[in-house]
């Protein structure tokens, strides 16, 4: 008798716009709030994502992600679980600086950071560091939610974390991690995991309900 292979769908959503995003300022783990546009983006994304009937919603504890997740939770009728391991990359001395500020002090550093997943800003984290702390969250969700088969779990987090976590789940060689580009605000990624110890595949990258592209962490 042939048994169906379980398929688990994971949707990773970036938070809505903040004033830092709008002004090209590096956020990292600074606890910034959604802008008025960011709140509208959260509402629009939630209207689309709620149609997937999620099993659970899990969020970074930073306000911009949590407030985005709460909008989805309210529309889906689900509580939002919080996990600080889903915080954005810590950008060390870059946090709070604009792109121009960083480029003036360290010409070429941002390009090096984007091209190399092992490279970290001064006193900050690399994408490899971020994946190492966030990947266990997904394993714990697998252990916790037995009903996670046909309906997705939605994780609301940050662009840098989502890119790092996706690359790690897909088991991409670290030197290929930069092929995953930036996400727009409230852009989302969908992965499908096949088998009891899931082999993950990328279904969707940077889907959006509204268009507001930027690449600020």
């Amino acid at each position: 008798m042939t048994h169906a292979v379980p398929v688990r769908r994971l949707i990773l959503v970036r938070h809505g716009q903040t004033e830092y995003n709008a002004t090209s300022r590096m956020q990292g783990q600074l606890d910034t709030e959604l802008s008025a546009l960011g709140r509208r983006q959260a509402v629009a994304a939630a209207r689309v994502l709620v149609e997937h009937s999620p099993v659970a919603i899990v969020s970074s504890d930073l306000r911009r992600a949590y407030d985005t997740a709460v909008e989805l939770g309210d529309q889906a009728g689900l509580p939002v679980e919080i996990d600080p391991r889903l915080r954005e990359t810590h950008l060390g001395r870059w946090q709070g600086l604009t792109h121009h500020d960083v480029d003036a002090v360290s010409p070429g550093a941002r390009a090096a950071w984007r091209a190399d997943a092992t490279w970290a800003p001064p006193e900050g984290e690399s994408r490899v560091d971020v994946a190492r702390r966030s990947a266990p969250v997904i394993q714990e969700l697998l252990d916790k939610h037995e009903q996670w088969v046909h309906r997705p779990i939605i994780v609301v987090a940050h662009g840098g974390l989502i890119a790092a976590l996706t690359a790690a789940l897909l088991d991409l060689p670290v030197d290929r991690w930069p092929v995953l580009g930036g996400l727009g605000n409230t852009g989302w990624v969908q992965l499908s995991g096949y088998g009891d110890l899931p082999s993950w595949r990328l279904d969707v990258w940077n889907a959006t309900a509204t268009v507001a592209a930027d690449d600020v962490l």
Side-chain angles (χ1 to χ4, degrees):
M1 182 176 179
T2 301
H3 296 281
V5 175
V7 180
R8 296 174 177 86
R9 289 190 168 80
L10 174 65
I11 297 176
L12 307 170
V13 186
R14 188 186 178 204
H15 60 81
Q17 187 203 62
T18 67
E19 293 300 334
Y20 271 54
N21 294 145
T23 56
S24 297
R25 192 172 292 274
M26 313 287 277
Q27 292 173 107
Q29 292 189 5
L30 297 178
D31 201 7
T32 58
E33 296 186 2
L34 296 177
S35 65
L37 173 58
R39 293 186 180 279
R40 293 196 298 273
Q41 291 170 339
V43 170
R47 286 174 181 159
V48 175
L49 292 169
V50 73
E51 297 300 320
H52 293 273
S53 301
V55 171
I57 301 167
V58 187
S59 175
S60 159
D61 62 339
L62 297 178
R63 284 177 292 178
R64 59 191 184 271
Y66 178 72
D67 289 349
T68 302
V70 165
E71 183 60 47
L72 175 58
D74 287 348
Q75 293 196 35
L78 289 172
V80 174
E81 304 172 31
I82 296 173
D83 197 313
R85 291 173 294 178
L86 296 172
R87 288 183 179 185
E88 182 57 293
T89 312
H90 197 298
L91 295 178
R93 296 183 201 167
W94 289 3
Q95 294 191 161
L97 301 180
T98 66
H99 290 184
H100 176 76
D101 293 335
V102 175
D103 293 344
V105 173
S106 302
R110 285 197 307 119
W113 167 57
R114 294 199 180 280
D116 183 353
T118 67
W119 199 96
E123 300 178 17
E125 292 179 297
S126 70
R127 272 168 287 174
V128 170
D129 295 328
V130 173
R132 188 177 294 117
R133 68 167 155 85
S134 60
V137 176
I138 306 305
Q139 182 57 53
E140 290 167 21
L141 290 172
L142 286 165
D143 296 338
K144 178 178 180 180
H145 293 282
E146 294 182 1
Q147 73 275 36
W148 182 12
V149 178
H150 302 295
R151 296 157 54 204
I153 286 179
I154 297 180
V155 170
V156 184
H158 310 268
L161 179 135
I162 291 171
L165 178 56
T166 299
L169 291 175
L170 294 174
D171 199 23
L172 294 180
V174 173
D175 65 351
R176 301 301 298 154
W177 285 22
V179 301
L180 298 175
L183 294 172
N185 289 118
T186 61
W188 64 85
V189 175
Q190 180 177 300
L191 297 162
S192 291
Y194 292 81
D196 293 320
L197 297 173
S199 174
W200 293 97
R201 302 178 191 175
L202 180 63
D203 299 328
V204 174
W205 182 265
N206 202 23
T208 55
T210 56
V211 177
D214 63 74
D215 61 358
V216 183
L217 295 182

